[in-house]
Amino acid sequence: MVYAEWQVGQVVWSMLWFTLLFLWIWVLLVVFGDVFRSRDLGGPAKALWTLFVLFMPVLGVFTYLIVRGDRIGERRLDDARAADRALRVAMRSAVADDGSDDDDLRSLVGLRERGVIDDAEFQAMKARIVPT
């Protein structure tokens, strides 16, 4: 029986190594993601960082974190802000397209009822809003 041979210390030690392996993979993914996401690095610089991290992983990751690690969070925050802005613009355009004609027509009817514009102006403005 295999499970009877494992002691508590061996299980804890194995869990520690598994956790360290998981953390190492996560750090590698963060570094590679940052290398390819960086707008201030050109293609050759990205290739060199990638090769450096692939062929000398520990030294490459620690060097990258020392040289460029202070801006990783800023680049991620900038990307999140850009995605948020794009989502807000898309939502505004979708909302504006849905009911803008109705709102414009209501305001035109209100202006005509108050006497601010006459029927000819109303028809001309209505033709601009709702093309027939």
Side-chain angles (χ1 to χ4, degrees), residues 5-6 17 28 51 58-59 66-67 69 78 83-85 91 97-98 100 108 115 127 129 131:
E5 296 174 10
W6 280 69
W17 279 110
L28 280 174
L51 291 174
V58 176
L59 183 63
I66 289 169
V67 172
D78 290 342
D84 184 54
R85 277 193 302 272
M91 287 173 39
D97 289 344
D98 284 346
S100 64
L108 278 178
I129 293 172

Side-chain angles (χ1 to χ4, degrees), residues 34-111:
D34 190 63
V35 165
F36 291 113
R37 187 181 301 119
S38 294
R39 291 178 186 87
D40 57 336
L41 286 178
K46 289 180 183 183
L48 287 174
W49 275 114
T50 302
L51 291 174
F52 188 39
V53 170
L54 282 176
F55 289 113
M56 291 192 230
V58 176
L59 183 63
V61 166
F62 287 138
T63 304
Y64 187 83
L65 290 176
I66 289 169
V67 172
R68 297 181 48 86
D70 58 338
R71 300 269 335 263
I72 290 176
E74 293 173 16
R75 284 187 285 273
R76 282 187 162 197
L77 186 61
D78 290 342
D79 289 344
R81 285 182 181 152
D84 184 54
R85 277 193 302 272
L87 178 65
R88 288 178 187 273
V89 166
M91 287 173 39
R92 280 192 197 114
S93 68
V95 168
D97 289 344
D98 284 346
S100 64
D101 293 343
D102 294 338
D103 294 338
D104 291 341
L105 282 175
R106 283 191 194 104
S107 63
L108 278 178
V109 168
L111 289 173

Side-chain angles (χ1 to χ4, degrees), residues 110-129:
L111 289 173
R112 185 179 66 175
E113 288 173 354
R114 284 184 274 155
V116 176
I117 59 173
D118 60 358
D119 285 333
E121 291 173 325
F122 174 77
Q123 292 301 326
M125 290 180 188
K126 181 181 170 187
R128 282 190 229 146
I129 293 172

